[in-house]
Amino acid sequence: MNVRKTSATWKIYRTRFLIKARQLSQPLLFVDALGREHSGQAGDYLVESSDGARRIAPRLIFEDVYVAMGPADESWPSPMEPAMALSAPKRRVASRTAATA
């Protein structure tokens, strides 16, 4: 295999979105709100995005991409409820004496 040298450097990436998922214990077939058919086998994952969209992810792909962060709680955003507004971060201003110490 001939690999050309590039000037680009390697970068680290992560997925941008948090999801909620559960592993299937039996086959599942469903049609989503857009009319698309989804099917999965035992071992695959039912994945739910924060906007409420659901899809099936094959086990090997899911386990290669996602890392468990812990159990989901009831604070998971619901597409039926408006998202909570976040306040602007407060800026810390160091005093001149603390900055020079």
Side-chain angles (χ1 to χ4, degrees):
M1 176 183 272
N2 185 7
V3 179
R4 283 202 245 164
K5 227 171 188 179
T6 65
S7 60
T9 58
W10 289 99
K11 296 178 183 177
I12 303 293
Y13 292 89
R14 66 173 177 79
T15 56
R16 297 182 305 166
F17 306 104
L18 294 179
I19 54 97
K20 186 167 65 169
R22 67 174 58 180
Q23 194 167 23
L24 300 176
S25 58
Q26 59 187 5
L28 176 67
L29 175 69
F30 70 94
V31 176
D32 67 16
L34 297 175
R36 298 176 296 198
E37 187 175 281
H38 299 264
S39 65
Q41 302 301 314
D44 291 343
Y45 287 81
L46 175 61
V47 177
E48 181 179 303
S49 302
S50 60
D51 66 359
R54 290 187 174 182
R55 64 182 178 85
I56 301 287
R59 183 184 64 82
L60 291 175
I61 293 171
F62 181 90
E63 292 176 353
D64 187 45
V65 172
Y66 293 99
V67 175
M69 296 181 67
D73 61 16
E74 297 304 316
S75 66
W76 181 258
S78 169
M80 302 304 172
E81 299 173 13
M84 290 178 28
L86 298 176
S87 60
K90 295 180 181 174
R91 296 182 75 186
R92 286 190 170 173
V93 179
S95 67
R96 177 167 236 155
T97 56
T100 58

